[in-house]
Amino acid sequence: MKNILMIGTGGTIASEVTGEGLTPELTPEQLMEYVPGVSELCRVRCLPLFNIDSTNMTPAHWLAAARAVRDNYDSCDGFVVTHGTDTMAYTAAALSYLVQGSPKPIIFTGAQKPINFDSTDSKVNLRDAFITACADGISGVNIVFNGKVILGTRARKTRSKSFQAFSSINYPYVATLQDGYLMQYIRQEALPAPLFCDTLDANVGLVKMIPGIDFELIDFLLRRKDAVIIESFGVGGLPSYNSDQFFDIITKGIQNGKIIIMTTQVPNEGSDLAVYNVGHRLKGWRNVLEAYDMTTESVLAKIMWILGRTRDWEEISRLFYKPVANDILYRG
């Protein structure tokens, strides 16, 4: 039997009803009591890393989760990480860069309803996560939810309440599960041993474009952040509003060594700055990156990982466009 480490971080799956709303309180050992059949699949060791609502998750928690995987990697065949759904896609993306090319599966799961509710998705999701963690063909970071196995760099929470909470963005499902059976469609490439990283630059900002946006917001972020992600409209671009004020702000930021990442707030199909004049004039600018078909969650985690390693523009650009766990397929 395989040895699986269950890492508990809190979230709805571990929550109980209190007078102030749902609050994570159950330990990993208590969660396992609700899925006794897992003992027939594997040997489980539990690690209660923290017990928080995923709204409170920070890059420091990502680093702690990566360290937990690293410290226990040699003694385990796979990992199951229970996590709140609201920021699970961010954490899964971050672990994809902090633990690169893992031949062993690192499976995130959670639930929309606590495990002790009568109508809960917790038990199925947790059992499916262990089935996936025990599968020989699964590697790297994935999210298992509602019978779907989604690559960690491609997941996004697209429904706030229903059990079908996560979608795979611009990439097929890795596998599906039904009645306890795993049907794998894609085998991910893995390294002989994972590449562990332990630094992030969390000084990254994100702004979502709205019609008539105040340019001073971008200026404010560029003065305070090492990199700013701009979620623009459609395939991408910056408005002018009959002046070059926005581009002047971007130019000043670049001159001060700041990194600009252009992406789109449209979930599917990605950006393409070359299509329209509002985007074309940004193509080829030094210190300007384009996300193409990457998710915003992966863009954020990837630039934090890159800036934690280097400040050289050529190396930043090379690393950003180099695929990690199939995070980017289309590059213009």
Short mmCIF file of all heavy atoms in Angstrom, two decimals, residues 106-144:
data_model
loop_
_atom_site.label_atom_id
_atom_site.label_comp_id
_atom_site.label_asym_id
_atom_site.label_seq_id
_atom_site.Cartn_x
_atom_site.Cartn_y
_atom_site.Cartn_z
N ILE A 106 0.61 15.63 -5.98
CA ILE A 106 0.29 16.57 -4.90
C ILE A 106 -1.13 17.05 -5.18
O ILE A 106 -1.36 17.87 -6.08
CB ILE A 106 1.28 17.74 -4.86
CG1 ILE A 106 2.71 17.21 -4.69
CG2 ILE A 106 0.91 18.72 -3.74
CD1 ILE A 106 3.78 18.26 -4.94
N ILE A 107 -2.09 16.53 -4.46
CA ILE A 107 -3.50 16.69 -4.79
C ILE A 107 -4.19 17.63 -3.80
O ILE A 107 -4.19 17.39 -2.59
CB ILE A 107 -4.22 15.33 -4.78
CG1 ILE A 107 -3.49 14.32 -5.68
CG2 ILE A 107 -5.67 15.50 -5.20
CD1 ILE A 107 -3.38 14.75 -7.14
N PHE A 108 -4.77 18.69 -4.34
CA PHE A 108 -5.58 19.61 -3.53
C PHE A 108 -7.05 19.24 -3.65
O PHE A 108 -7.53 18.89 -4.73
CB PHE A 108 -5.40 21.05 -4.02
CG PHE A 108 -4.13 21.70 -3.57
CD1 PHE A 108 -2.93 21.45 -4.22
CD2 PHE A 108 -4.13 22.57 -2.49
CE1 PHE A 108 -1.75 22.04 -3.81
CE2 PHE A 108 -2.96 23.17 -2.06
CZ PHE A 108 -1.76 22.91 -2.73
N THR A 109 -7.74 19.34 -2.53
CA THR A 109 -9.19 19.16 -2.57
C THR A 109 -9.82 19.94 -1.42
O THR A 109 -9.13 20.44 -0.52
CB THR A 109 -9.59 17.68 -2.50
OG1 THR A 109 -10.96 17.54 -2.91
CG2 THR A 109 -9.43 17.12 -1.08
N GLY A 110 -11.12 20.05 -1.47
CA GLY A 110 -11.87 20.77 -0.45
C GLY A 110 -13.34 20.50 -0.69
O GLY A 110 -13.71 19.47 -1.25
N ALA A 111 -14.18 21.43 -0.28
CA ALA A 111 -15.61 21.20 -0.41
C ALA A 111 -16.36 22.52 -0.35
O ALA A 111 -15.86 23.52 0.16
CB ALA A 111 -16.11 20.26 0.68
N GLN A 112 -17.58 22.47 -0.84
CA GLN A 112 -18.48 23.62 -0.75
C GLN A 112 -19.33 23.56 0.51
O GLN A 112 -19.91 24.55 0.91
CB GLN A 112 -19.39 23.67 -1.99
CG GLN A 112 -18.67 23.95 -3.31
CD GLN A 112 -18.24 25.39 -3.44
OE1 GLN A 112 -17.38 25.86 -2.70
NE2 GLN A 112 -18.84 26.10 -4.38
N LYS A 113 -19.42 22.37 1.11
CA LYS A 113 -20.17 22.21 2.37
C LYS A 113 -19.31 21.40 3.34
O LYS A 113 -18.58 20.50 2.95
CB LYS A 113 -21.49 21.47 2.10
CG LYS A 113 -22.42 22.20 1.14
CD LYS A 113 -23.70 22.58 1.82
CE LYS A 113 -24.63 23.30 0.84
NZ LYS A 113 -25.88 22.57 0.61
N PRO A 114 -19.39 21.73 4.65
CA PRO A 114 -18.58 21.01 5.64
C PRO A 114 -18.83 19.51 5.64
O PRO A 114 -19.91 19.04 5.27
CB PRO A 114 -19.02 21.65 6.97
CG PRO A 114 -19.50 23.01 6.59
CD PRO A 114 -20.16 22.84 5.25
N ILE A 115 -17.84 18.77 6.08
CA ILE A 115 -17.91 17.32 6.00
C ILE A 115 -18.97 16.73 6.92
O ILE A 115 -19.45 15.61 6.69
CB ILE A 115 -16.52 16.71 6.29
CG1 ILE A 115 -16.42 15.29 5.72
CG2 ILE A 115 -16.21 16.74 7.80
CD1 ILE A 115 -15.01 14.76 5.63
N ASN A 116 -19.37 17.45 7.97
CA ASN A 116 -20.39 16.91 8.88
C ASN A 116 -21.81 17.34 8.52
O ASN A 116 -22.74 17.08 9.27
CB ASN A 116 -20.07 17.29 10.33
CG ASN A 116 -19.86 18.79 10.50
OD1 ASN A 116 -20.24 19.58 9.65
ND2 ASN A 116 -19.25 19.17 11.62
N PHE A 117 -21.99 17.98 7.35
CA PHE A 117 -23.33 18.29 6.85
C PHE A 117 -23.91 17.05 6.17
O PHE A 117 -23.18 16.26 5.57
CB PHE A 117 -23.29 19.45 5.86
CG PHE A 117 -23.28 20.82 6.49
CD1 PHE A 117 -22.73 21.04 7.74
CD2 PHE A 117 -23.83 21.90 5.82
CE1 PHE A 117 -22.72 22.30 8.32
CE2 PHE A 117 -23.83 23.16 6.37
CZ PHE A 117 -23.27 23.37 7.63
N ASP A 118 -25.24 16.92 6.22
CA ASP A 118 -25.88 15.79 5.54
C ASP A 118 -25.69 15.88 4.03
O ASP A 118 -25.37 14.87 3.37
CB ASP A 118 -27.37 15.74 5.88
CG ASP A 118 -27.63 15.34 7.33
OD1 ASP A 118 -26.75 14.66 7.92
OD2 ASP A 118 -28.69 15.71 7.87
N SER A 119 -25.91 17.05 3.47
CA SER A 119 -25.74 17.23 2.03
C SER A 119 -24.39 17.89 1.79
O SER A 119 -24.27 19.12 1.72
CB SER A 119 -26.86 18.12 1.47
OG SER A 119 -26.87 19.38 2.11
N THR A 120 -23.37 17.07 1.71
CA THR A 120 -22.01 17.59 1.56
C THR A 120 -21.30 16.91 0.40
O THR A 120 -21.57 15.74 0.09
CB THR A 120 -21.19 17.38 2.85
OG1 THR A 120 -19.88 17.91 2.66
CG2 THR A 120 -21.09 15.91 3.22
N ASP A 121 -20.41 17.65 -0.22
CA ASP A 121 -19.54 17.09 -1.26
C ASP A 121 -18.19 16.68 -0.69
O ASP A 121 -17.33 16.19 -1.42
CB ASP A 121 -19.36 18.09 -2.40
CG ASP A 121 -18.87 19.46 -1.91
OD1 ASP A 121 -19.08 19.79 -0.73
OD2 ASP A 121 -18.31 20.21 -2.73
N SER A 122 -17.99 16.89 0.60
CA SER A 122 -16.68 16.67 1.22
C SER A 122 -16.20 15.22 1.11
O SER A 122 -15.04 14.97 0.76
CB SER A 122 -16.73 17.06 2.70
OG SER A 122 -17.03 18.42 2.86
N LYS A 123 -17.07 14.28 1.44
CA LYS A 123 -16.64 12.89 1.50
C LYS A 123 -16.23 12.36 0.13
O LYS A 123 -15.20 11.69 0.00
CB LYS A 123 -17.76 12.03 2.10
CG LYS A 123 -18.13 12.42 3.52
CD LYS A 123 -19.37 11.66 4.00
CE LYS A 123 -19.86 12.19 5.33
NZ LYS A 123 -21.10 11.54 5.78
N VAL A 124 -17.02 12.69 -0.89
CA VAL A 124 -16.68 12.23 -2.24
C VAL A 124 -15.39 12.88 -2.71
O VAL A 124 -14.50 12.22 -3.25
CB VAL A 124 -17.83 12.54 -3.22
CG1 VAL A 124 -17.39 12.26 -4.66
CG2 VAL A 124 -19.06 11.71 -2.88
N ASN A 125 -15.26 14.19 -2.49
CA ASN A 125 -14.05 14.87 -2.93
C ASN A 125 -12.81 14.34 -2.23
O ASN A 125 -11.75 14.14 -2.85
CB ASN A 125 -14.17 16.38 -2.68
CG ASN A 125 -15.10 17.07 -3.65
OD1 ASN A 125 -15.47 16.51 -4.67
ND2 ASN A 125 -15.47 18.29 -3.33
N LEU A 126 -12.92 14.09 -0.93
CA LEU A 126 -11.77 13.61 -0.17
C LEU A 126 -11.37 12.20 -0.61
O LEU A 126 -10.19 11.91 -0.82
CB LEU A 126 -12.09 13.64 1.32
CG LEU A 126 -10.92 13.42 2.29
CD1 LEU A 126 -9.80 14.41 2.02
CD2 LEU A 126 -11.41 13.56 3.74
N ARG A 127 -12.35 11.34 -0.78
CA ARG A 127 -12.04 9.98 -1.24
C ARG A 127 -11.45 10.03 -2.66
O ARG A 127 -10.45 9.34 -2.94
CB ARG A 127 -13.29 9.10 -1.23
CG ARG A 127 -13.01 7.66 -1.68
CD ARG A 127 -14.23 6.78 -1.55
NE ARG A 127 -13.98 5.46 -2.11
CZ ARG A 127 -13.34 4.47 -1.49
NH1 ARG A 127 -12.91 4.66 -0.26
NH2 ARG A 127 -13.15 3.30 -2.08
N ASP A 128 -12.02 10.83 -3.53
CA ASP A 128 -11.49 10.96 -4.89
C ASP A 128 -10.05 11.47 -4.88
O ASP A 128 -9.22 11.07 -5.70
CB ASP A 128 -12.36 11.90 -5.72
CG ASP A 128 -13.65 11.25 -6.19
OD1 ASP A 128 -13.80 10.02 -6.02
OD2 ASP A 128 -14.51 11.96 -6.74
N ALA A 129 -9.75 12.38 -3.95
CA ALA A 129 -8.39 12.91 -3.85
C ALA A 129 -7.40 11.81 -3.50
O ALA A 129 -6.30 11.73 -4.07
CB ALA A 129 -8.34 14.03 -2.82
N PHE A 130 -7.78 10.92 -2.59
CA PHE A 130 -6.89 9.82 -2.21
C PHE A 130 -6.76 8.80 -3.34
O PHE A 130 -5.68 8.26 -3.57
CB PHE A 130 -7.37 9.16 -0.92
CG PHE A 130 -6.94 9.88 0.31
CD1 PHE A 130 -7.81 10.72 0.99
CD2 PHE A 130 -5.65 9.73 0.80
CE1 PHE A 130 -7.41 11.41 2.12
CE2 PHE A 130 -5.23 10.41 1.94
CZ PHE A 130 -6.11 11.25 2.60
N ILE A 131 -7.85 8.55 -4.04
CA ILE A 131 -7.77 7.65 -5.20
C ILE A 131 -6.78 8.20 -6.22
O ILE A 131 -5.94 7.47 -6.77
CB ILE A 131 -9.16 7.48 -5.85
CG1 ILE A 131 -10.08 6.68 -4.91
CG2 ILE A 131 -9.05 6.79 -7.21
CD1 ILE A 131 -11.53 6.66 -5.37
N THR A 132 -6.84 9.51 -6.46
CA THR A 132 -5.95 10.14 -7.43
C THR A 132 -4.52 10.14 -6.93
O THR A 132 -3.58 9.90 -7.70
CB THR A 132 -6.41 11.58 -7.71
OG1 THR A 132 -7.80 11.58 -8.07
CG2 THR A 132 -5.61 12.20 -8.85
N ALA A 133 -4.33 10.39 -5.64
CA ALA A 133 -2.98 10.41 -5.07
C ALA A 133 -2.33 9.03 -5.11
O ALA A 133 -1.10 8.91 -5.12
CB ALA A 133 -3.01 10.93 -3.64
N CYS A 134 -3.15 7.98 -5.15
CA CYS A 134 -2.63 6.61 -5.20
C CYS A 134 -2.42 6.11 -6.63
O CYS A 134 -1.82 5.04 -6.82
CB CYS A 134 -3.58 5.66 -4.48
SG CYS A 134 -3.64 5.89 -2.69
N ALA A 135 -2.90 6.85 -7.61
CA ALA A 135 -2.82 6.39 -9.01
C ALA A 135 -1.39 6.47 -9.52
O ALA A 135 -0.68 7.45 -9.26
CB ALA A 135 -3.75 7.21 -9.88
N ASP A 136 -0.97 5.47 -10.26
CA ASP A 136 0.40 5.42 -10.76
C ASP A 136 0.67 6.47 -11.85
O ASP A 136 1.79 6.93 -11.99
CB ASP A 136 0.72 4.03 -11.31
CG ASP A 136 0.77 2.98 -10.21
OD1 ASP A 136 1.13 3.33 -9.08
OD2 ASP A 136 0.44 1.81 -10.50
N GLY A 137 -0.34 6.86 -12.60
CA GLY A 137 -0.11 7.75 -13.74
C GLY A 137 -0.23 9.23 -13.44
O GLY A 137 -0.01 10.06 -14.32
N ILE A 138 -0.57 9.59 -12.22
CA ILE A 138 -0.77 10.99 -11.87
C ILE A 138 0.50 11.56 -11.25
O ILE A 138 1.11 10.93 -10.37
CB ILE A 138 -1.94 11.17 -10.88
CG1 ILE A 138 -3.24 10.65 -11.52
CG2 ILE A 138 -2.08 12.62 -10.47
CD1 ILE A 138 -3.75 11.47 -12.68
N SER A 139 0.90 12.74 -11.67
CA SER A 139 2.08 13.39 -11.10
C SER A 139 1.82 14.89 -10.99
O SER A 139 0.90 15.43 -11.60
CB SER A 139 3.31 13.14 -11.99
OG SER A 139 3.12 13.69 -13.28
N GLY A 140 2.65 15.55 -10.19
CA GLY A 140 2.57 17.00 -10.07
C GLY A 140 1.37 17.48 -9.28
O GLY A 140 0.66 16.71 -8.63
N VAL A 141 1.14 18.79 -9.36
CA VAL A 141 0.09 19.44 -8.58
C VAL A 141 -1.22 19.46 -9.36
O VAL A 141 -1.26 19.92 -10.52
CB VAL A 141 0.50 20.88 -8.22
CG1 VAL A 141 -0.61 21.57 -7.43
CG2 VAL A 141 1.81 20.89 -7.43
N ASN A 142 -2.27 18.95 -8.74
CA ASN A 142 -3.60 18.92 -9.36
C ASN A 142 -4.66 19.24 -8.30
O ASN A 142 -4.43 19.03 -7.11
CB ASN A 142 -3.90 17.55 -9.96
CG ASN A 142 -3.01 17.20 -11.13
OD1 ASN A 142 -3.29 17.52 -12.27
ND2 ASN A 142 -1.90 16.51 -10.83
N ILE A 143 -5.80 19.72 -8.77
CA ILE A 143 -6.97 19.88 -7.93
C ILE A 143 -7.97 18.79 -8.30
O ILE A 143 -8.24 18.58 -9.48
CB ILE A 143 -7.62 21.27 -8.11
CG1 ILE A 143 -6.75 22.35 -7.44
CG2 ILE A 143 -9.04 21.31 -7.54
CD1 ILE A 143 -7.28 23.76 -7.61
N VAL A 144 -8.49 18.11 -7.30
CA VAL A 144 -9.54 17.11 -7.51
C VAL A 144 -10.82 17.65 -6.87
O VAL A 144 -10.85 17.91 -5.67
CB VAL A 144 -9.15 15.75 -6.89
CG1 VAL A 144 -10.34 14.80 -6.90
CG2 VAL A 144 -7.98 15.14 -7.65
#
